[in-house]
Amino acid sequence: MGGAVSAGEDNDELIDNLKEAQYIRTELVEQAFRAVDRGDYYLEEFKDNAYKDLAWKHGNIHLSAPCIYSEVMEALDLQPGLSFLNLGSGTGYLSSMVGLILGPFGVNHGVELHSDVTEYAKQKLDFFIKTSDSFDKFEFCEPSFVTGNCLEISPDCTQYDRVYCGAGVQKEHEDYMKNLLKVGGILVMPLEEKLTKITRTGPSAWETKKILAVSFAPLIQPNHADSGKSSLVHLPPVAVRSLQDLARIAIRGTIKKIIHQEAMSKNGNGLKNTPRFKRRRVRRRRMETIVFLDKEVFASRISNPSDDNNNSEDMEDETQEEEETKPSELKPDPPVNFLREKVLSLPLPDPLKYYLLYYREK
């Protein structure tokens, strides 16, 4: 499933394409997608396909197409502090993006059928926390993953504000999925070949909306042939954060406010710094040519000869100008992690500084 948008060269280009195609429509969802590099969730030998709008599967490891994940994120209507349950959590890619929106006081749980994929997701989560350039821009609700069949969740589990199922749900399991929701909650799942959004409006009242046609592998039915009894899945408890964690969240939040205030005072006039120079662009008008031949359609872009003649000198000037302005100042400086710099400059013991930085490598 996928292929709805053009392939990108990198994660940002993929997100640009998803926005242009209206699969990403809100700023919160865009920020989350840009912060988590899809390529990091691929095995190294398959990364060439990471920014195509296609699903990927290798063994038990599976990623849905980016256009599906973006529609899911938009439909979930995520907000800070909500609880989220991801059924078929896979690599943890979606759970990590959701965690950036839920913030430090949300709940982020995932259930995955295959133990090797659960381990893979934990490794990718650890890599994201330690190395992501964008991690410090957010306060993160870290996902917790458990292994088991999502159709065997313990009946005494808590209900959630948001639930997503990443496998095709048979009609007989629709009520089971609905009962995982709190009143006011939203469930998104593939139901009868349609990605479906269900909102629980009351104890026994629901609103259903079909989003788009999809094709998902069906949920795996529990198999009790070996033991003769079910293996209930116990989700992580919803625990109150420790005082130590709360202190870290508060300190990081205060430092971010200070950094923002310093930036505002430095640019108090509200004007952005002007670039050192502007590259002169020469626009060349072009003519679209479409040829119909035996039911085939060929499209080409042909330069206007008169424009080519008129602009040949300008193009030479532009080439010369670009060669003259190639020094290192043209290359953008690497992004500065102001939060990291500020924490490292504080008069604190090193272990406390590293704790505030989540022991990150960058």
Side-chain angles (χ1 to χ4, degrees):
M1 181 68 202
V5 302
S6 302
E9 292 293 325
D10 56 26
N11 197 65
D12 278 327
E13 206 167 287
L14 170 64
I15 309 316
D16 291 341
N17 293 337
L18 289 169
K19 280 188 64 182
E20 186 177 355
Q22 289 293 301
Y23 284 102
I24 292 179
R25 300 178 288 277
T26 59
E27 186 177 351
L28 269 180
V29 172
E30 178 186 352
Q31 289 174 351
F33 266 83
R34 291 196 189 279
V36 183
D37 194 316
R38 180 176 169 89
D40 290 341
Y41 291 79
Y42 274 66
L43 292 170
E44 193 65 37
E45 61 267 34
F46 299 102
K47 280 193 174 180
D48 287 347
N49 294 319
Y51 309 113
K52 296 177 181 178
D53 188 31
L54 297 171
W56 172 65
K57 182 173 173 57
H58 181 76
N60 291 325
I61 303 170
H62 177 265
L63 278 166
S64 293
C67 68
I68 300 296
Y69 283 132
S70 52
E71 283 288 3
V72 169
M73 291 275 285
E74 293 286 359
L76 285 170
D77 189 21
L78 298 161
Q79 300 165 34
L82 296 180
S83 56
F84 172 66
L85 177 61
N86 188 355
L87 304 175
S89 49
T91 65
Y93 171 63
L94 177 66
S95 292
S96 291
M97 290 192 291
V98 169
L100 296 173
I101 298 177
L102 298 183
F105 303 112
V107 174
N108 195 354
H109 294 163
V111 180
E112 168 56 42
L113 182 63
H114 303 287
S115 58
D116 59 327
V117 181
T118 302
E119 186 58 34
Y120 185 86
K122 290 177 179 178
Q123 292 171 6
K124 293 302 179 183
L125 173 62
D126 186 58
F127 180 81
F128 171 71
I129 292 174
K130 287 184 176 178
T131 67
S132 170
D133 289 329
S134 57
F135 178 83
D136 285 325
K137 297 177 183 177
F138 300 83
E139 291 297 344
F140 188 45
C141 182
E142 187 173 329
S144 296
F145 303 113
V146 297
T147 302
N149 191 308
C150 66
L151 293 174
E152 296 185 298
I153 292 175
S154 175
D156 61 356
C157 82
T158 184
Q159 293 177 314
Y160 291 80
D161 297 302
R162 301 290 186 268
V163 178
Y164 170 65
C165 181
V169 177
Q170 294 85 353
K171 191 67 178 176
E172 61 264 29
H173 295 129
E174 181 179 355
D175 288 342
Y176 171 90
M177 296 293 177
K178 288 178 175 179
N179 287 328
L180 296 170
L181 274 185
K182 294 179 180 178
V183 174
I186 295 173
L187 164 66
V188 177
M189 61 181 177
L191 181 66
E192 298 181 319
E193 302 297 310
K194 296 284 193 302
L195 190 65
T196 305
K197 175 181 179 178
I198 298 176
T199 305
R200 187 169 195 170
T201 57
S204 56
W206 317 85
E207 288 181 359
T208 301
K209 177 184 178 182
K210 305 292 184 182
I211 301 173
L212 77 164
V214 293
S215 179
F216 277 66
L219 283 170
I220 302 296
Q221 303 300 310
N223 183 2
H224 305 145
D226 296 334
S227 61
K229 58 182 180 180
S230 65
S231 302
L232 289 180
V233 176
H234 296 279
L235 296 168
V238 179
V240 177
R241 280 192 175 270
S242 68
L243 182 59
Q244 185 171 300
D245 265 357
L246 293 173
R248 173 164 60 182
I249 293 165
I251 292 169
R252 284 168 63 91
T254 300
I255 294 172
K256 286 180 180 179
K257 287 179 182 177
I258 292 171
I259 292 170
H260 178 71
Q261 290 169 358
E262 289 176 349
M264 292 292 289
S265 61
K266 190 178 294 185
N267 301 314
N269 56 9
L271 297 175
K272 294 182 180 178
N273 293 330
T274 55
R276 286 178 166 176
F277 61 90
K278 291 185 178 179
R279 179 181 295 172
R280 182 165 58 87
R281 288 185 179 178
V282 177
R283 295 185 178 179
R284 300 172 64 185
R285 287 179 293 170
R286 294 189 178 266
M287 180 172 62
E288 297 279 358
T289 300
I290 301 177
V291 180
F292 296 87
L293 179 62
D294 192 23
K295 297 183 181 180
E296 298 282 348
V297 180
F298 299 89
S300 60
R301 301 181 67 85
I302 302 177
S303 302
N304 187 327
S306 62
D307 286 348
D308 287 350
N309 293 333
N310 292 338
N311 291 333
S312 59
E313 293 181 4
D314 289 342
M315 293 298 290
E316 289 176 4
D317 290 346
E318 182 187 26
T319 303
Q320 183 178 356
E321 183 181 347
E322 287 181 357
E323 290 176 354
E324 291 173 354
T325 55
K326 272 185 181 176
S328 57
E329 65 178 8
L330 270 178
K331 298 177 181 178
D333 294 329
V336 178
N337 189 326
F338 294 105
L339 178 65
R340 181 181 180 85
E341 288 192 349
K342 184 69 76 173
V343 169
L344 292 176
S345 70
L346 294 174
L348 297 171
D350 284 347
L352 182 52
K353 292 179 184 179
Y354 298 142
Y355 175 75
L356 289 173
L357 294 171
Y358 287 86
Y359 305 101
R360 284 166 46 72
E361 295 174 3
K362 289 188 180 180

